Amino acid sequence: MSALRILVPVKRVIDYAVKPRVNKAQTGVETAGVKHSMNPFDELSVEESVRIREKKSAPGGVEDICVISAGPPKAADVLRTAMAMGADRAVHVDVKEGEDLEPLTVAKLLRAAVEREKSNLVILGKQSIDDDAAQTGQMLAGLLGWPQATQASQVRFEDGNRVLVTKEVDGGVETVAAKLPMVITTDLRLNEPRYASLPNIMKAKKKPLVKLSLSDLGVANERRLKVVKVTEPTPRQGGGKVEDVDGLISKLKELGAL
Amino acid sequence: MSCSSRLTPVLRRTIAPCLLRSANASNCVPCAARRISSTATRRLRTSPRRCAKFTTDTYPEIKRDPRFAQITKEHVAFFRELLGKDSALVDGVTADVSLEDMEPYNGDWMRKYRGHCKLVLKPGSTEEVSKILKYCNDNMLAVVPQGGNTGLVGGSIPVFDEIVVNTSRMNKIRFFDEVSGVLVADAGVILEVADQFLAEKGYIFPLDLGAKGSCHIGGNVATNAGGLRLLRYGSLHGTVLGIEAVLPDGTIVDDLGRLRKNNTGYDLKQLFIGGEGTIGMITAVSIHCPQRPKAVNVAYLGAESYEQLQQAFREAKNHLSEILSAFEMMDSYSQDLVYKVRQNKRLLEGEYPFYCLIETSGSNPTHDSEKLEAFLDQLMTEGIVSDGVVAQDETQIKSMWAQREGVPECLGHWGGVYKYDVSIPLSDLYRLVDETRERIEKAGLKGDTDEFPVVEVAGYGHMGDSNLHLNVAVRRYDKRVEEVLEPFVYEWISKVNGSISAEHGLGIAKKNYIGFSRSETMINLMKQIKALYDPNGIMNPYKYL
């Protein structure tokens, strides 16, 4: 079996635990001064790649784990985090703040990166928690003409470049098999990502990080969709508290339930 | 309303089989009784609630003060009339109240203290508190002011049949100034509710502690709680700007100032901060709240020795200075127990004798992480810490804090905890834990099986404030353990000029040991103050001094 060259795309998004707020112009959510971190699904892909290496689960071994992110200069932070978790090197594709890429553009960009890095396995999150598009992995597989296994909850390797992927479906699990090269998208139960340890954070600082532009990869940021308006969900009608049984009964009467 | 009078008796009847048994009953209501009385959802509760021993059994030397009157029907009628509605009082004097309804006011969460209280009053305003206290004072009825009941020394638990005056209905935020950050709120506001209110305005409550979801800010101030961020925001003696309290004679002490500076006469509000409800009951608090930090970083480190931990603390002050907001230490015993109870993944790969949690809070994430990185870099290159992890997102920050905040709860997993909350000069701080463990082991009290009362002796605490929590996790409270621990611990602390109560207060647990930390002159001065404001001694009796 050929040695694995894994490409792991990661995205810097508003932290999962932060409540996003719509900006005043209603064109998007407020990002300035808001805590950002790695898309949780991407953490799973980084963790899985590192585990494949550590557990030696691929018969051919892992030759290279390269993480890639397209975004503003701050995106380098999540690349360093990924390298602290165990990735070997990083590629940062510079995109100006506010110039978001659509999934198809990201997929095209990743196709170019796959060719550039000679990757034979792409592990990526099934979706990013900011736009929830959940399209990139599938489009990438289409562009490359590779098999895809989506929403992986378990990844196993067999001889002869065969990969078994278990995915959780309604009411059970489904296991699919494909041959490398292939695309896998990750789901929440795949693993539990590790913490970035101090020694590894320091090592990560010395790992190579290459900067590229969109044009280096032969891609332009074409947008097919226009955001018309972003609004908050309608606030929930809050419940009321009553002091005692009498209060409850009069409230129910008032509402015509009694 | 016609139907309400028909409905209330029905409700009473369903509760009736679950009568509060005679006061000297030592165990809980039998399961059968609970099953009859309970609704479907309650029946789902599987683990039988373990009840604490009555405080009067644990401390047989405490006798009910004969000056205090017994609560009569007339008294209850007065309070019912005053409060105006049934939901504002839990009446076990003239009516039958189920144990489950009364127990939350009669016991603490550690199951260490339990009173014989038969009447709980929940006033809705300061005026009502004033009328209640005046009536109690005139009729010699003893009173225990109570908030969220999360105290650790039994300060909010009645001993005999004192009337509990609970602040839970006084829960309004009265005022907030978005420019100065001054918050005025009722005593019964839950700490987390106040903090969430402030979060929306960009401010933070200057106090944070593990019990934030249930403790009341009035109770926090009455115990002068210290908590996790004292290092950064200072003690409540500094942040509380004013207090509204009620004296036993009904006088409303309206000192709800909103000024940071006010040098006009004696600062009497300080007597109520940490006064544990012995001279009056706090009904509202005015407090200065700092700006909420925009950037928070957390690191969790492992060290080989206590000396290294001290070095790390020095370096932390050196490198992080103004952004350092917490430096918490935990020994391996406390951390191992948390992993054992919660069965979660270890934060660090290796195991170390000591761990610390460092938090920075600032306004500029780039600046803060630069500082933190330089600090951690030095710790690693100089070998001061052996390993560590840095939180990369909010979720990781929360799970690291859970590893520290979860210690008290997890130590209680086996049945009980002997808690000592002490201030000791940093250089001696951890030696107390080692020596205590040695004594317990030598006495043959510690082991893995059920015949040994002690599970483990653990130490953790706010290293930044020289505040150690010495905890002895036990399977049951046992006189033999107590004899090994006391007065040994107090004498030890007295020898190194420490304090026997850093932030938990005196309550009933440390009443007899105050002499280890305060001179006789000081204690006499305190007694004079008590006698001045509470001449009848009705406020929180049997405790404090």
Side-chain angles (χ1 to χ4, degrees):
Chain A
M1 180 179 180
S2 47
L4 287 179
R5 290 184 61 81
I6 309 176
L7 184 72
V8 186
V10 297
K11 185 173 185 182
R12 178 177 174 266
V13 297
I14 291 181
D15 193 283
Y16 156 74
V18 172
K19 186 175 180 282
R21 291 184 193 280
V22 173
N23 64 12
K24 288 212 176 71
Q26 294 196 321
T27 53
V29 292
E30 204 63 70
T31 54
V34 177
K35 169 116 180 151
H36 282 66
S37 38
M38 196 192 299
N39 178 33
F41 291 103
D42 301 344
E43 275 189 311
L44 298 163
S45 345
V46 176
E47 177 67 31
E48 192 62 20
S49 317
V50 178
R51 283 192 192 184
I52 292 170
R53 168 181 279 160
E54 285 173 352
K55 294 193 173 154
K56 299 188 169 47
S57 42
V62 175
E63 187 186 307
D64 176 55
I65 301 173
C66 176
V67 284
I68 179 170
S69 186
K74 280 267 171 203
D77 292 353
V78 298
L79 290 173
R80 290 282 172 209
T81 304
M83 289 194 284
M85 289 172 74
D88 299 319
R89 59 203 181 86
V91 176
H92 178 198
V93 183
D94 200 24
V95 178
K96 274 203 202 96
E97 186 86 53
E99 290 188 4
D100 293 348
L101 306 178
E102 284 179 8
L104 182 59
T105 317
V106 179
K108 284 179 179 167
L109 176 162
L110 291 176
R111 174 179 59 179
V114 162
E115 281 156 11
R116 188 174 181 272
E117 308 300 338
K118 301 189 176 51
S119 315
N120 54 7
L121 176 63
V122 183
I123 305 183
L124 69 170
K126 70 167 181 180
Q127 71 195 76
S128 67
I129 59 164
D130 52 357
D131 59 18
D132 280 342
Q135 297 165 2
T136 308
Q138 291 87 329
M139 287 180 173
L140 174 65
L143 290 174
L144 288 166
W146 289 4
Q148 57 174 312
T150 52
Q151 281 113 304
S153 65
Q154 196 189 28
V155 177
R156 281 170 298 156
F157 292 85
E158 287 186 341
D159 286 329
N161 286 348
R162 231 164 87 96
V163 185
L164 292 176
V165 175
T166 305
K167 38 205 270 185
E168 289 179 347
V169 293
D170 280 351
V173 292
E174 180 183 82
T175 304
V176 296
K179 279 200 168 181
L180 288 176
M182 72 179 293
V183 173
I184 297 174
T185 69
T186 58
D187 207 343
L188 282 181
R189 254 177 293 255
L190 181 60
N191 57 49
E192 198 186 327
R194 68 193 64 195
Y195 294 96
S197 80
L198 272 187
N200 288 335
I201 289 174
M202 277 185 233
K203 272 185 226 157
K205 283 187 197 163
K206 300 196 180 86
K207 290 182 180 177
L209 190 153
V210 179
K211 267 200 164 190
L212 297 176
S213 64
L214 283 176
S215 55
D216 290 337
L217 293 168
V219 189
N221 185 8
E222 283 168 38
R223 293 196 65 90
R224 296 167 184 233
L225 293 175
K226 184 170 182 288
V227 175
V228 182
K229 198 177 176 187
V230 178
T231 52
E232 299 256 6
T234 41
R236 196 179 69 95
Q237 292 290 322
K241 266 190 186 172
V242 290
E243 281 272 344
D244 47 21
V245 177
D246 292 356
L248 177 66
I249 290 165
S250 57
K251 189 83 199 168
L252 288 173
K253 277 190 170 170
E254 187 188 311
L255 296 170
L258 276 181
Chain B
M1 221 165 54
S2 58
C3 64
S4 70
S5 53
R6 260 181 286 130
L7 201 111
T8 325
V10 175
L11 275 175
R12 290 243 174 80
R13 224 171 302 138
T14 57
I15 298 165
C18 189
L19 306 185
L20 182 64
R21 305 209 309 174
S22 62
N24 56 3
S26 59
N27 56 349
C28 287
V29 173
C31 289
R34 185 143 21 116
R35 220 170 290 142
I36 299 162
S37 71
S38 296
T39 57
T41 46
R42 282 212 192 140
R43 227 174 292 148
L44 291 173
R45 196 189 286 167
T46 47
S47 65
R49 179 134 104 246
R50 287 170 292 183
C51 276
K53 253 167 66 176
F54 282 109
T55 311
T56 45
D57 294 337
T58 325
Y59 298 86
E61 68 278 10
I62 303 178
K63 298 279 179 266
R64 188 179 185 280
D65 191 332
R67 293 181 302 143
F68 295 139
Q70 302 282 350
I71 307 170
T72 63
K73 275 183 195 165
E74 289 70 40
H75 296 146
V76 178
F78 171 83
F79 292 128
R80 195 180 294 274
E81 166 94 34
L82 170 66
L83 297 174
K85 48 178 129 187
D86 281 348
S87 61
L89 70 176
V90 186
D91 170 18
V93 180
T94 61
D96 294 318
V97 173
S98 78
L99 187 66
E100 287 185 18
D101 284 344
M102 190 55 95
E103 211 46 34
Y105 306 98
N106 245 336
D108 68 325
W109 66 274
M110 290 191 309
R111 296 181 291 271
K112 210 166 170 189
Y113 307 97
R114 192 167 166 224
H116 299 285
C117 162
K118 291 201 203 76
L119 182 63
V120 180
L121 306 177
K122 299 181 196 170
S125 69
T126 310
E127 288 67 35
E128 285 180 3
V129 174
S130 165
K131 284 176 188 153
I132 289 171
L133 291 190
K134 182 166 172 16
Y135 184 82
C136 289
N137 200 37
D138 293 345
N139 290 279
M140 284 305 283
L141 292 163
V143 169
V144 175
Q146 188 177 80
N149 219 350
T150 58
L152 295 161
V153 290
S156 62
I157 313 290
V159 180
F160 295 96
D161 57 346
E162 296 95 280
I163 297 171
V164 165
V165 183
N166 190 287
T167 51
S168 57
R169 276 182 67 232
M170 301 174 63
N171 55 5
K172 279 174 207 69
I173 287 169
R174 296 190 189 174
F175 169 85
F176 181 68
D177 181 351
E178 299 218 14
V179 180
S180 66
V182 174
L183 174 83
V184 181
D186 285 354
V189 172
I190 290 170
L191 178 59
E192 197 167 33
V193 173
D195 192 53
Q196 275 164 5
F197 169 84
L198 290 164
E200 279 182 23
K201 317 267 180 194
Y203 285 84
I204 188 170
F205 203 88
L207 172 77
D208 185 22
L209 35 82
K212 58 177 162 270
S214 21
C215 63
H216 296 182
I217 60 173
N220 292 146
V221 174
T223 29
N224 188 19
L228 302 163
R229 306 226 165 90
L230 189 132
L231 177 70
R232 176 64 172 272
Y233 302 122
S235 131
L236 290 173
H237 278 298
T239 46
V240 171
L241 303 178
I243 270 179
E244 181 190 79
V246 178
L247 296 180
D249 66 1
T251 309
I252 295 175
V253 182
D254 185 0
D255 185 23
L256 220 41
R258 296 169 189 174
L259 310 168
R260 287 208 77 182
K261 291 175 153 185
N262 185 6
N263 278 356
T264 47
Y266 298 120
D267 193 3
L268 293 180
K269 67 168 183 290
Q270 301 292 359
L271 296 177
F272 294 90
I273 304 174
E276 298 183 36
T278 56
I279 56 170
M281 179 165 167
I282 297 172
T283 49
V285 174
S286 157
I287 190 162
H288 182 249
C289 302
Q291 200 73 33
R292 201 174 195 86
K294 284 202 193 98
V296 176
N297 286 305
V298 171
Y300 180 93
L301 314 173
E304 291 293 351
S305 70
Y306 180 66
E307 282 64 43
Q308 290 188 338
L309 218 53
Q310 291 183 67
Q311 246 177 304
F313 180 47
R314 285 195 54 182
E315 292 298 329
K317 286 195 285 188
N318 208 355
H319 279 86
L320 303 172
S321 53
E322 86 284 359
I323 60 166
L324 180 65
S325 58
F327 194 107
E328 296 287 312
M329 76 91 119
M330 295 147 275
D331 66 0
S332 58
Y333 302 97
S334 65
Q335 291 301 281
D336 288 350
L337 289 182
V338 174
Y339 291 122
K340 208 166 173 179
V341 172
R342 297 204 167 153
Q343 312 249 318
N344 53 344
K345 206 177 80 178
R346 283 187 169 270
L347 293 178
L348 301 182
E349 266 175 45
E351 293 181 25
Y352 301 91
F354 291 95
Y355 301 91
C356 68
L357 184 150
I358 297 172
E359 186 194 72
T360 67
S361 312
S363 57
N364 183 341
T366 329
H367 165 263
D368 290 4
S369 22
E370 223 169 79
K371 273 186 160 182
L372 185 66
E373 263 178 38
F375 161 66
L376 295 173
D377 221 45
Q378 174 164 3
L379 287 191
M380 284 304 282
T381 42
E382 289 190 7
I384 298 171
V385 300
S386 313
D387 196 5
V389 287
V390 182
Q392 303 292 327
D393 54 48
E394 287 289 316
T395 316
Q396 291 189 357
I397 288 180
K398 281 193 189 117
S399 51
M400 285 183 195
W401 265 116
Q403 202 56 32
R404 161 64 186 87
E405 287 185 308
V407 174
E409 188 193 323
C410 291
L411 285 175
H413 178 77
W414 283 267
V417 191
Y418 287 100
K419 282 179 178 285
Y420 298 93
D421 148 56
V422 298
S423 279
I424 301 176
L426 265 186
S427 51
D428 291 317
L429 188 89
Y430 195 74
R431 207 154 48 82
L432 174 64
V433 183
D434 280 335
E435 287 182 23
T436 307
R437 188 178 304 113
E438 235 167 75
R439 272 177 74 90
I440 294 268
E441 275 167 0
K442 221 181 253 170
L445 293 169
K446 195 184 128 202
D448 291 334
T449 49
D450 207 39
E451 65 201 271
F452 299 100
V454 177
V455 179
E456 194 53 86
V457 178
Y460 60 97
H462 318 296
M463 193 153 168
D465 317 320
S466 306
N467 182 184
L468 171 78
H469 294 308
L470 166 68
N471 280 203
V472 181
V474 292
R475 298 186 172 87
R476 60 198 162 263
Y477 294 113
D478 187 318
K479 261 276 164 285
R480 286 177 300 160
V481 182
E482 252 156 73
E483 278 158 16
V484 173
L485 292 172
E486 290 172 24
F488 163 76
V489 172
Y490 296 127
E491 284 169 4
W492 199 97
I493 292 160
S494 181
K495 254 186 280 171
V496 296
N497 293 325
S499 167
I500 59 155
S501 184
E503 58 175 6
H504 293 173
L506 294 166
I508 196 148
K510 294 178 181 175
K511 170 191 157 80
N512 293 330
Y513 303 103
I514 182 172
F516 286 101
S517 289
R518 298 279 196 192
S519 70
E520 207 161 306
T521 322
M522 291 306 297
I523 297 170
N524 279 333
L525 284 172
M526 291 184 200
K527 283 186 173 158
Q528 285 175 19
I529 286 174
K530 167 80 177 169
L532 174 68
Y533 287 110
D534 183 21
N536 289 345
I538 62 157
M539 296 302 293
N540 218 356
Y542 319 112
K543 297 167 198 155
Y544 201 61
L545 282 173

